[in-house]
Amino acid sequence: DFLLATLSDLSTWWSFTYPEIYGDEWIPLRGAVYAAYPERPDDLPGCGEPRTSYQDVQQFVAFYCGLGDFIVYDDGEAGLLAELADSFGAGTIGIVLAHEFGHAVQQRSGVLDRSLPTVTSEQQADCFAGAWAGRASRGEGAVTFSDADVRAGLIAMLEVRDPVGVDQFTAGGHGSGFDRVGAFQTGFVQGPARCGDLIDNPLPLMPNQFNSN
């Protein structure tokens, strides 16, 4: 099963990658990874609220909650993630989960406790996803990616980007398509150690707002 193999490989990878970057032991997720779909009982934990609705998940495609240390992703048949997986392959799901694991890394490293623009933490999560995809493309783990799988993951990331004309530093900003692909490529080529350094030495962002002059 691709999903189980991906989750297992991400956990294994971070068990030795996190100590290499941060000099501390990797702590596995305390919570679970939840698949959200319309028919699921009302049992998705909330992130600051009693419960998470499927409609909430649809807005984000997937999210990490630091309060409960869990991940939720949209597994509905009509959801964007399923549509992308059907069109481009399961690599889309792998990259999305790798990105959310990146936020779990940030919870453990203290990044999420800092008053940083959202786009800064999102770029690092994109970079970590790229580093894991690089591992998969080299056949070094339990999941192996083809070039088509890598492209599929990039397509999934581009579906959640800041539209042209929007300031990337707006709360909740993920970066433009150029920003997201650039961060992913940095991780893919340079590896996770460079991603760990992105918080204090971030990548330059492409201009994304219209010039009124």
Side-chain angles (χ1 to χ4, degrees), residues 7-77:
L7 294 174
S8 175
D9 192 63
L10 283 165
S11 297
T12 298
W13 185 59
W14 279 114
S15 70
F16 60 81
T17 300
Y18 189 87
E20 290 175 355
I21 298 174
Y22 297 104
D24 207 351
E25 182 182 1
W26 168 253
I27 301 172
L29 290 176
R30 297 194 315 273
V33 177
Y34 296 90
Y37 45 88
E39 302 81 11
R40 181 166 187 150
D42 186 22
D43 65 345
L44 293 174
C47 195
E49 300 177 352
R51 290 286 181 268
T52 296
S53 69
Y54 177 64
Q55 288 71 29
D56 291 335
V57 180
Q58 280 185 301
Q59 294 181 23
F60 299 100
V61 181
F63 69 87
Y64 166 75
C65 177
L67 294 176
D69 200 30
F70 63 85
I71 293 171
V72 180
Y73 71 96
D74 185 356
D75 195 37
E77 292 183 0

Side-chain angles (χ1 to χ4, degrees), residues 11 30 32 45 56 75 83 88 103 126 134 138 167 171 180 204 211:
S11 297
R30 297 194 315 273
D56 291 335
D75 195 37
E83 178 184 330
F88 303 105
H103 291 311
D126 285 342
R138 294 187 297 272
D167 182 359
R180 300 206 67 182
N211 191 331

